[in-house]
Amino acid sequence: MTATVTRLSTVDRLLPVWIGAAMAGGLLAGRLVPGLGDVLGAVTVDGISLPIALGLLMMMYPVLAKVRYDRLGTVTRDKRLLWTSLALNWIAGPALMFALAWLLLPDLPEYRTGLIIVGLARCIAMVIIWNDLACGDREAAAVLVALNSVFQVLMFGVLGWFYLAVLPGWLGLPQADLTVSGWQIAKSTLIFLGIPLLAGYLTRRFGERARGREWYETAFLPRVGPAALYGLLFTIVLLFALQGAQITDRPVDVARIALPLLAYFAIMWAGAYLLGTAAGLGYARTTTLAFTAAGNNFELAIAVAIATFGASSGQALAGVVGPLIEVPVLVGLVYVSLALRTRSSHDS
């Protein structure tokens, strides 16, 4: 592990410190600055605070500018990777979250519903950062995120209806309702994935055409690369400032919601990593498979919960607790991945 960490830049090596400070700073700001949440939520883009939307775009663009788009064909030809990812994201992930929510929150229906919504919202944003930090396959991440985006538009509402209304009825459990606009999800996908993806593609295409690949890789990318981390930290501060009062006012509820989330992230990541290893995908693509399976689109989950049940609902609180648990857990799994990479290289 030590050998792995020393290869990271100083900024990346201290990533848990920066993220912990950003989370703490956001929680304190939301608690101590009167009306801050109202200010941040005053202007929204597709149900997300405009400052948070800008942070997400700033976070995603540098990583997507690094993608070698001429290599995407090698990913789309890897049918094992594509089918395994689809099965993990759209069969295993929602089913696992449904089971954990009912097992660990049988007496808290609002939080249970919120967690099921989180399980349905597959990651299309921060997973790109985790994958890059863990030295996963950038091209594979771009393809899998795009694939998840298409399925999110098509399947989110259908699976929400199935897991909240149909399946509980079959099992003799209380039913809930979720009405989600497919156009709302499509807009979210176009904004938070489409814009940075198009910008990254055009930057590489015209940058290489104008100055060559060597300049683009060695001069341009090192200049814009740090913006991804700054965008990540900026987004975390704002997100936790926006919901800080809810989190700090209800610590016992947060702890109850955290337990199934911790189990979910650990099981999904470890299961996907083992599957990728067994399928012989290699370290980079196995890592990408694991992070795309474990991550969730908490921006969408929060927006849907607020739009459907209200900003002060238990469903919305469950969505807010999602990144509180996901961010530090997946940062930790970045370091686990890097340690596994070092070990596998030593073994070979």
Side-chain angles (χ1 to χ4, degrees), residues 88 113 203 233 325 341:
L88 285 168
T113 297
T203 302
L233 297 177
I325 306 304
R341 181 188 186 210

Side-chain angles (χ1 to χ4, degrees), residues 176-201:
D177 187 29
L178 179 65
T179 303
V180 185
S181 164
W183 173 235
Q184 183 78 3
I185 299 170
K187 283 194 299 180
S188 175
T189 300
L190 288 172
I191 291 169
F192 297 116
L193 177 64
I195 291 175
L197 184 62
L198 180 63
Y201 171 77

Side-chain angles (χ1 to χ4, degrees), residues 57-67 221 224-229:
L57 295 176
M58 182 170 70
M59 174 184 74
M60 294 176 68
Y61 163 70
V63 180
L64 290 169
K66 294 178 183 179
V67 171
L221 288 181
V224 301
L229 178 58

